[in-house]
Amino acid sequence: MSADEIIDIVDENDRVTGRAPRGEAYARGLRHRCAFVLVRDAGGRVFVHRRTPGKLVFPSLYDMFVGGVVAAGEGYDEAALREAEEELGVSGLPRPRHLFTFLYDDGAGRSWWSAVYEVRCELPVRPQAEEVAWHDFLPEAEVERRVAEGGWEWVPDGLEAYRRLREWRSGRPGAAGRR
C-alpha cells in the first residue's frame, strides 16, 4: 500500500469511525487495522526478513511476520492472505489461520488493531524487493534466541505480536487478546 491508499480508521473497540490516507493516519496517529502472518515452510521454520529502508514505518528493522495495513472496506482475513502473497511473491497460498487479535499501542501515537495469523508456505518464495531487503527461513529456536539476545533490531509491533503468540501457545487464557 502507498501512503495515498485509503484505510479504515477505527476506535478502541475496532469499530470503523472514518477513513483516511495511510500516510495521514500514520502522521496523525490515527488507529487503524493491520494483519500479521507468521509464515512457516514445510520444515516448520519461520520466515524472517529485514524491511527495506523506504518503508513508512519501521524501516530497515527485522520482522518475523509478513503482513500490513488492512485496506478500507477489506476484512482482516482478506488482508492477511493478500499481504502474505504480496510480500512472499507467491500466489495460491493457503488461507492463513486466524489465531487472535489485540490492540497494539506504543503510547507514542502508534496504535492499531492487530490480527495475528499463521500459514504454511510450501511454495518457492520471491519476496517483494520494495518490501523485503533480506529474508530467510529460520528455526524457531533461532528466532527466539535472536529476540532474546537483542542483536537484531526488531519491529516493535512484531515483537509484541510474537510475545503474545508465545503466551497464546502456552494456553494462558486471555494472554494474547481476543479470538
Side-chain angles (χ1 to χ4, degrees):
M1 293 184 103
S2 77
D4 295 330
E5 291 182 270
I6 304 299
I7 62 174
D8 287 331
I9 304 305
V10 297
D11 65 14
E12 65 278 358
N13 297 307
D14 199 14
R15 290 185 301 237
V16 175
T17 60
R19 291 189 169 163
R22 187 173 76 145
E24 179 184 336
Y26 286 149
R28 294 181 47 210
L30 302 175
R31 187 176 293 124
H32 52 280
R33 295 175 170 159
C34 290
F36 293 73
V37 183
L38 188 82
V39 178
R40 294 183 184 279
D41 67 4
R45 297 176 304 169
V46 176
F47 181 83
V48 176
H49 67 284
R50 186 167 187 227
R51 296 164 62 88
T52 56
K55 297 288 285 178
L56 281 176
V57 177
F58 311 132
S60 300
L61 301 186
Y62 289 90
D63 201 348
M64 66 285 285
F65 292 95
V66 298
V69 175
V70 178
E74 185 178 39
Y76 284 112
D77 291 350
E78 293 78 20
L81 179 59
R82 175 183 55 77
E83 286 282 350
E85 287 188 334
E86 284 176 6
E87 283 192 41
L88 296 171
V90 302
S91 61
L93 194 65
R95 181 167 293 283
R97 181 173 66 105
H98 179 254
L99 305 176
F100 59 88
T101 302
F102 72 98
L103 177 61
Y104 172 78
D105 192 331
D106 71 357
R110 289 185 172 150
S111 178
W112 39 85
W113 278 98
S114 308
V116 178
Y117 292 79
E118 189 168 43
V119 71
R120 182 174 299 270
C121 178
E122 298 183 8
L123 303 165
V125 299
R126 294 173 305 285
Q128 246 182 353
E130 308 83 44
E131 303 263 345
V132 177
W134 168 90
H135 74 280
D136 200 357
F137 281 95
L138 303 177
E140 187 142 13
E142 183 173 346
V143 174
E144 289 184 11
R145 180 182 63 79
R146 291 188 180 272
V147 166
E149 287 178 355
W152 285 2
E153 191 174 359
W154 297 91
V155 295
D157 59 344
L159 273 180
E160 180 65 15
Y162 192 67
R163 180 188 70 77
R164 288 174 181 254
L165 177 59
R166 289 192 322 246
E167 289 177 355
W168 182 81
R169 285 184 182 146
S170 74
R172 291 187 17 211
R178 69 178 197 227
R179 283 288 221 184

